[in-house]
Amino acid sequence: MVISEIRTDIETVEKNISLWKEINFASRIAALDFLEFHVIDRLDGLCQQANPPAELLALQQAAEQLKNQLEAIDIALFRRLREAIRQGRCSGAALLHLIDTYVGRCSGGRQAQQQIGYDNLDLFTNSLFDGQTLPQETIEREPQMVHYQKTPARVILDLIERAQFTEKDVFYDLGSGLGQVSLLVHLLSGVTANGVEVEPAYCAYANACAADLNVPNVSFIQADARTANYATGTVFFLYTPFEGQLLQDVLNRLRAESQRRHIRIFTYGPCTRPVSRQSWLTAIGQTGVGNELYKLAHFVSAPVVVGS
Ligand SMILES: C[S@@+](CC[C@H](N)C(=O)[O-])C[C@H]1O[C@@H](n2cnc3c(N)ncnc32)[C@H](O)[C@@H]1O
C-alpha cells in the first residue's frame, strides 16, 4: 500500500512534462519540495528498518535520481544567466523581464507585514548570486550589531522602483552582509552601488561575487559603519544592521553628510522606528512603523541651503 502510494507520487512528478521546461522555475521548486519532504524523507524513514524490501530501495534511488535531474535544469539555467550577466547581456530591463518571466515579482511587496518573509523570488536571486559556500563569521559582534539576515528580494525591487536613481546617485547598503542588495540594485538600475560590512568574511564573499559577475561598479568595503567614508553616498539602505547607540552614531554620520548634500535613506525592519524619530529627516509616504514594520520606509534629508 505505502509502496504503491510512493510509486504513484514519483510517477506523478516524472510525468509532469511542464517541470522539464526550464521556464517553469516555480513549479519545479514546488515539485522538488514535494520530492524532498514528502517522498524522499518518507523513503529514508522506511529504508532505515532492518532489511528494507528491494522495491523500497529501488524507489529511493529513483526519487533521488529524479530530484537530481530536476535540480540539474536549474543549475544549467543559473550558470547560463551568470554568464549572460558577466558578458553584460543581462541587466536593467532585460533582467527585470527575465525575473518576471521566471518567477514574477511575488506577493507582499507593498502590503503591510508584521514579519520578514521570503518567497520564490528569493530562491531565484539566491541561485543567481550564491555560487560559493557560505562563509563562517570570523569576528565577534558587539551586542548592538545585528547578525546577518538577507533582505527579501521583493523589498529590493520596491526600493529600486521608489528610489528612481539618476546617474548622480551613489547607493550604500549599510551592513551589506553577502552583498545581494547592492548587486541587485546595481544590476537592475545601473547605479554605482557600495556595501559597508564589518564582518571580513562576508565582505570578501560579496566582493568575490561582484568579481565573478564582472560588475566593476559594485564594491564592498570592510569597515565598521560608524567609521566608514560616505563622501560619495546619496542613497542609503539599512535593513536593521545595528541598534541603540550604534545606530544613532551612524545616523549622526549621515546627518553630517546631509549638511553637504541632499541624501535619502531607505529602511526595513525595526530600525525604521528610531530613524523615523530623527528630526532632520522627513518620511516620504508611510513610514512602516506601527504594524507595518516589515515594509520599506523612505526618508529624505532637508535640502542643502547653498552658501549657508
Ligand atoms: C540584517 S543583516 C543585513 C544584510 C544585508 N543588508 C542584506 O540585506 O542582505 C545586518 C548586517 O550588518 C552587519 N553589521 C552589523 N554591525 C555592523 C557595523 N557596525 N558596521 C558594518 N556592518 C555591520 C552584520 O554583520 C550583518 O551582515
Side-chain angles (χ1 to χ4, degrees):
M1 170 73 176
V2 179
I3 291 185
S4 84
E5 227 177 79
I6 296 177
R7 181 177 300 108
T8 307
D9 283 345
I10 295 175
E11 282 171 6
T12 307
V13 175
E14 228 162 23
K15 286 181 185 156
N16 182 351
I17 49 167
S18 73
L19 297 176
W20 303 92
K21 294 189 182 138
E22 195 187 57
I23 193 88
N24 293 322
F25 176 75
S27 335
R28 211 157 37 247
I29 289 175
L32 281 164
D33 258 21
F34 176 78
L35 275 179
E36 181 91 48
F37 300 111
H38 189 79
V39 178
I40 295 178
D41 273 4
R42 202 170 170 202
L43 278 165
D44 287 350
L46 292 167
C47 288
Q48 269 168 13
Q49 300 162 3
N51 301 320
E55 230 179 331
L56 264 186
L57 292 170
L59 282 178
Q60 191 184 34
Q61 210 179 354
E64 284 290 349
Q65 199 179 351
L66 182 56
K67 177 177 159 244
N68 292 341
Q69 286 167 340
L70 289 175
E71 282 175 346
I73 300 172
D74 291 328
I75 291 171
L77 162 67
F78 289 105
R79 195 173 286 148
R80 209 184 66 242
L81 293 183
R82 278 196 289 271
E83 189 51 33
I85 291 175
R86 267 177 219 122
Q87 294 176 5
R89 290 187 284 110
C90 188
S91 60
L95 178 55
L96 198 56
H97 176 70
L98 199 127
I99 288 174
D100 278 340
T101 311
Y102 276 85
V103 74
R105 311 277 173 101
C106 297
S107 59
R110 292 197 177 256
Q111 287 157 25
Q113 293 209 9
Q114 308 262 16
Q115 55 186 339
I116 190 169
Y118 297 107
D119 52 38
N120 285 350
L121 181 56
D122 294 287
L123 294 179
F124 187 88
T125 51
N126 287 349
S127 303
L128 195 59
F129 295 134
D130 288 348
Q132 316 154 53
T133 324
L134 291 188
Q136 288 280 326
E137 290 186 20
T138 59
I139 58 166
E140 202 169 317
R141 269 192 311 272
E142 289 176 29
Q144 293 182 329
M145 295 181 175
V146 175
H147 63 86
Y148 175 69
Q149 189 167 20
K150 81 186 268 295
T151 305
R154 64 175 183 281
V155 175
I156 308 174
L157 296 193
D158 196 10
L159 186 160
I160 294 165
E161 200 179 308
R162 289 165 70 181
Q164 295 292 307
F165 292 109
T166 71
E167 56 195 23
K168 290 186 187 147
D169 280 318
V170 176
F171 172 82
Y172 274 80
D173 178 18
L174 303 191
S176 48
L178 302 184
Q180 290 201 0
V181 176
S182 295
L183 284 165
L184 204 54
V185 163
H186 170 74
L187 283 170
L188 286 172
S189 72
V191 74
T192 296
N194 300 312
V196 174
E197 171 56 52
V198 73
E199 169 53 57
Y202 293 169
C203 196
Y205 179 101
N207 274 320
C209 272
D212 179 55
L213 292 172
N214 189 25
V215 281
N217 290 332
V218 180
S219 55
F220 298 93
I221 302 133
Q222 194 267 307
D224 186 319
R226 283 171 289 199
T227 56
N229 181 351
Y230 300 120
T232 57
T234 61
V235 179
F236 296 86
F237 173 63
L238 292 90
Y239 168 25
T240 312
F242 14 77
E243 34 188 43
Q245 189 54 46
L246 204 168
L247 173 61
Q248 190 55 53
D249 290 347
V250 175
L251 290 171
N252 291 345
R253 291 282 322 280
L254 296 183
R255 181 181 193 169
E257 293 299 330
S258 78
Q259 284 158 0
R260 293 187 265 279
R261 67 194 175 283
H262 175 66
I263 65 168
R264 295 184 283 154
I265 300 180
F266 286 89
T267 60
Y268 182 66
C271 75
T272 295
R273 204 166 273 143
V275 172
S276 72
R277 291 196 206 106
Q278 306 296 309
S279 59
W280 56 282
L281 287 172
T282 305
I284 302 292
Q286 289 172 301
T287 55
V289 293
N291 64 353
E292 296 180 330
L293 215 50
Y294 285 91
K295 185 177 160 121
L296 187 71
H298 184 187
F299 302 89
V300 294
S301 68
V304 178
V305 182
V306 181
S308 65

